Amino acid sequence: MQGKHLYEYAVIRFVPRVEREEFINVGIILFSKRTKFIKARYLVDEKRQLFFLLNWIWIRCMPVSGCSIISAPARKKEGRLQHWIFRSRFRWLTAVRSSSLQTSRPHPGFSSDLEATFEQLFTELVL
C-alpha cells in the first residue's frame, strides 16, 4: 500500500424533517490526517430541494459556515478557527446532531490521489 493515504469522508445531508429521517445528500467532507488534506463541497440543487419545501436562506448559509471552518489555515495564534488542527475540524463538522443539516458517520478508505477520490465521491453520492 505504498503511496496510498488513509482518508475519512462524511456525506453532508439536508434533513428537512428530522423526525421522519428523510434526507438529501448535499455535500462531501474528505479528510486525511497524514497529508493534512481536508476539503468540502456542497451543491444546492433547487429542483431536488423544492420537493422538500426548503427554507432557502437557512440551507444556503449553513454549508458556507462549515466550508469556512475547513478552509481556514492551520496556524497558531491567529484566531479561534485558525488554531484548530485539521482532525479537530473534521470531528466537529461530523459530530452527530439533531438538526436539519447533518453528516453521515465517517467512512474510511485508502487513496493515492485524494483530489480524484474526492471528485469521485462527490459525483457518486451527491450529483
Side-chain angles (χ1 to χ4, degrees):
M1 292 217 176
Q2 191 171 354
K4 293 209 174 205
H5 305 287
L6 176 64
Y7 69 86
E8 293 179 76
Y9 76 92
V11 180
I12 303 168
R13 298 173 171 162
F14 176 69
V15 186
R17 295 184 65 186
V18 177
E19 67 276 7
R20 291 182 60 166
E21 298 182 8
E22 298 171 341
F23 61 86
I24 301 171
N25 292 345
V26 296
I28 294 285
I29 305 169
L30 190 133
F31 160 73
S32 174
K33 181 179 177 182
R34 178 172 239 169
T35 62
K36 296 183 180 176
F37 179 91
I38 188 165
K39 185 173 182 177
R41 182 184 306 154
Y42 67 94
L43 174 68
V44 178
D45 185 344
E46 294 179 9
K47 290 179 185 176
R48 289 172 70 192
Q49 291 172 347
L50 274 174
F51 180 75
F52 287 98
L53 301 173
L54 301 179
N55 178 339
W56 295 106
I57 295 171
W58 186 82
I59 189 64
R60 289 176 191 263
C61 293
M62 287 299 288
V64 171
S65 63
C67 288
S68 298
I69 291 167
I70 288 171
S71 62
R75 298 184 195 133
K76 294 181 179 177
K77 301 179 183 176
E78 286 194 23
R80 198 169 207 179
L81 292 179
Q82 285 80 6
H83 80 276
W84 279 15
I85 59 172
F86 289 106
R87 183 175 182 203
S88 296
R89 293 180 197 182
F90 181 76
R91 297 289 175 237
W92 183 81
L93 288 165
T94 60
V96 176
R97 293 176 174 80
S98 61
S99 65
S100 292
L101 198 63
Q102 302 177 3
T103 60
S104 68
R105 293 186 179 191
H107 304 283
F110 284 99
S111 174
S112 55
D113 185 351
L114 295 171
E115 282 288 340
T117 301
F118 179 85
E119 295 300 328
Q120 179 183 2
L121 288 170
F122 187 81
T123 301
E124 290 176 6
L125 300 173
V126 178
L127 296 181

